[in-house]
Amino acid sequence: MASSKESFVALNASVTSSANPVYVFLSRFYDSYATFQKMWKKILTSKRVMLSIGILVGFAACTLLLTNPPSSLSLLLEEYDLPTLGAAEVEWKELFSGNSPLVPWNIGRANFDGREFCVGEELSARGLRAKHPVILIPGIISTALENWSTQGEYKAQFRKRYWGGASMVMRAIQNPERWMAALMLDPETGLDPPGVKIRAAQGIDAAQKFIEGYWLWEKILQNLAALNYDTNNLELAAYDWRLSYRNLEIRDGYFSRLKHAIESYKKRQGKKTVMVAHSMGATVALVFFTSHYTRYLPVCSLKWVEAEEGGKGGPQWVEDHIEAIVSVGGTFLVWMSSAPLQLFSHDFLD
């Protein structure tokens, strides 16, 4: 009996031995299958894969629905007096015609007949021309932000846009945690976290459009150009909209550079500057040259450009250098204590 038991143990050991080719094959096959199963499950539950599948399914559904719509659907639309698919069919066919502004090689080109310049051309026909230099101040989240980090994991994306443009979308999809970590400010200092250096893009391109096909200041720039504005009398004062107004000056010298640009126009062209500010940009302009003061800003923000602790421009600087300010949906009412006034303001209605 003992010998039979010993023989069975020896046989079992020989079968399960690592030297047995059958056992080795089955073991490796099982490990590979388990690994493949885990990997496949991870892929199927990935947000990126689900998004891609959703886009493909939606595209296929639109193709089937719009290229050959079923008669029952047309009857249903007519019965409940719903819009027909005629307009959608036209747009869908145009998408594949090569002339659609939605295809990659035409994206961003909404019109092909120059209608973007019609307002400026009409004003030009009335005899209006560029007179005063213009400085545009964009609103919150309008200015593109670039990566200037030269160390660590952000080094490979030097000068790539982390806010605005197609590159922002790619970074947000590829690694959303790292993208968010780069854009977030240090809660203690209110500046960039250690190892990260994000700065506002400069020049007119910084806020011309948010992404291809979604314009911000582009139409205004086009029509100002029709009135003979160019880079000699027009600029966009881009800023890092994440920062407090205090840190805008401390870190970037934003208000000092803005003051210098306006003084340069006055010196070269002998004319005052018109400032066009949108949304939060109007508040930035208020901090620059008006007499508002809040407990959230340093004392020098009290008419910063003229204050001795700020721009040192003297009591007549605004009068001598600013022709006008144009507010486009400016956030002026944040300075008022009566919030219900917003309900009756034109800015709120716009």
Side-chain angles (χ1 to χ4, degrees), residues 112-158:
F112 301 92
D113 53 5
R115 283 181 292 170
E116 299 92 337
F117 302 90
C118 64
V119 175
E121 290 173 346
E122 182 178 342
L123 294 176
S124 179
R126 298 180 189 177
L128 298 179
R129 293 290 185 274
K131 182 178 180 181
H132 294 279
V134 172
I135 291 182
L136 309 175
I137 304 181
I140 189 170
I141 76 170
S142 298
T143 301
L145 301 178
E146 297 178 344
N147 172 41
W148 280 80
S149 306
T150 58
Q151 53 183 299
E153 57 185 353
Y154 297 101
K155 184 177 182 179
Q157 288 86 40
F158 180 72

Side-chain angles (χ1 to χ4, degrees), residues 62-111:
C62 289
T63 303
L64 294 174
L65 184 64
L66 296 176
T67 54
N68 188 21
S71 57
S72 57
L73 179 60
S74 301
L75 293 174
L76 182 65
L77 294 175
E78 293 177 3
E79 181 179 354
Y80 290 96
D81 195 25
L82 297 174
T84 65
L85 295 174
E89 286 185 70
V90 173
E91 292 291 337
W92 190 257
K93 291 177 180 178
E94 185 182 358
L95 178 63
F96 296 97
S97 67
N99 297 322
S100 172
L102 298 178
V103 294
W105 50 89
N106 286 333
I107 194 165
R109 297 169 56 194
N111 299 312

Side-chain angles (χ1 to χ4, degrees), residues 22-327:
V22 177
Y23 173 79
V24 172
F25 172 77
L26 292 176
S27 177
R28 290 181 178 178
F29 176 80
Y30 177 79
D31 291 341
S32 300
Y33 176 76
T35 303
F36 174 79
Q37 193 175 27
K38 291 179 181 179
M39 182 181 67
W40 185 248
K41 183 178 179 180
K42 185 177 180 179
I43 291 175
L44 290 179
T45 56
S46 171
K47 294 180 179 179
R48 299 177 191 172
V49 174
M50 295 302 294
L51 176 62
S52 302
I53 293 175
I55 293 174
L56 291 174
V57 171
F59 189 83
C62 289
T63 303
L64 294 174
L65 184 64
L66 296 176
T67 54
N68 188 21
S71 57
S72 57
L73 179 60
S74 301
L75 293 174
L76 182 65
L77 294 175
E78 293 177 3
E79 181 179 354
Y80 290 96
D81 195 25
L82 297 174
T84 65
L85 295 174
E89 286 185 70
V90 173
E91 292 291 337
W92 190 257
K93 291 177 180 178
E94 185 182 358
L95 178 63
F96 296 97
S97 67
N99 297 322
S100 172
L102 298 178
V103 294
W105 50 89
N106 286 333
I107 194 165
R109 297 169 56 194
N111 299 312
F112 301 92
D113 53 5
R115 283 181 292 170
E116 299 92 337
F117 302 90
C118 64
V119 175
E121 290 173 346
E122 182 178 342
L123 294 176
S124 179
R126 298 180 189 177
L128 298 179
R129 293 290 185 274
K131 182 178 180 181
H132 294 279
V134 172
I135 291 182
L136 309 175
I137 304 181
I140 189 170
I141 76 170
S142 298
T143 301
L145 301 178
E146 297 178 344
N147 172 41
W148 280 80
S149 306
T150 58
Q151 53 183 299
E153 57 185 353
Y154 297 101
K155 184 177 182 179
Q157 288 86 40
F158 180 72
R159 289 298 312 280
K160 301 298 182 182
R161 290 194 173 183
Y162 267 61
W163 185 264
S167 60
M168 173 197 70
V169 179
M170 294 300 298
R171 290 180 210 324
I173 294 176
Q174 291 174 351
N175 197 327
E177 292 80 13
R178 187 169 66 179
W179 176 70
M180 284 294 297
L183 290 177
M184 292 177 64
L185 297 175
D186 189 295
E188 298 294 331
T189 64
L191 301 173
D192 289 317
V196 181
K197 192 175 185 180
I198 301 295
R199 295 293 181 267
Q202 298 300 311
I204 290 177
D205 287 342
Q208 180 174 339
K209 60 183 67 175
F210 180 67
I211 196 171
E212 285 296 334
Y214 187 95
W215 55 268
L216 296 171
W217 289 88
E218 186 175 35
K219 304 302 179 184
I220 294 177
L221 293 168
Q222 290 169 341
N223 287 278
L224 286 175
L227 295 172
N228 202 33
Y229 276 98
D230 54 33
T231 53
N232 292 320
N233 53 4
L234 171 69
E235 70 176 82
L236 190 141
Y239 60 93
D240 190 339
W241 40 266
R242 304 172 303 156
L243 300 182
S244 66
Y245 302 127
R246 177 188 178 92
N247 283 334
L248 271 178
E249 176 61 23
I250 292 176
R251 193 195 75 176
D252 296 342
Y254 178 77
F255 295 115
S256 296
R257 291 188 287 114
L258 184 59
K259 176 176 178 284
H260 176 74
I262 295 173
E263 289 175 340
S264 178
Y265 280 132
K266 182 68 180 293
K267 183 178 180 180
R268 291 187 294 110
Q269 303 180 14
K271 296 176 182 178
K272 300 180 183 180
T273 296
V274 173
M275 301 178 71
V276 181
H278 171 239
S279 187
M280 178 183 169
T283 311
V284 173
L286 285 177
V287 175
F288 177 68
F289 65 76
T290 64
S291 301
H292 293 290
Y293 173 78
T294 73
R295 63 188 177 91
Y296 299 104
L297 297 169
V299 175
C300 66
S301 68
L302 180 61
K303 214 164 190 179
W304 181 91
V305 69
E306 294 184 355
E308 191 63 28
E309 302 87 351
K312 300 180 174 61
Q316 290 297 312
W317 192 93
V318 173
E319 185 66 28
D320 295 340
H321 293 82
I322 303 298
E323 176 66 21
I325 177 171
V326 180
S327 170

Side-chain angles (χ1 to χ4, degrees), residues 6-16:
E6 291 175 357
S7 301
F8 176 78
V9 171
L11 177 63
N12 184 55
S14 64
V15 171
T16 58

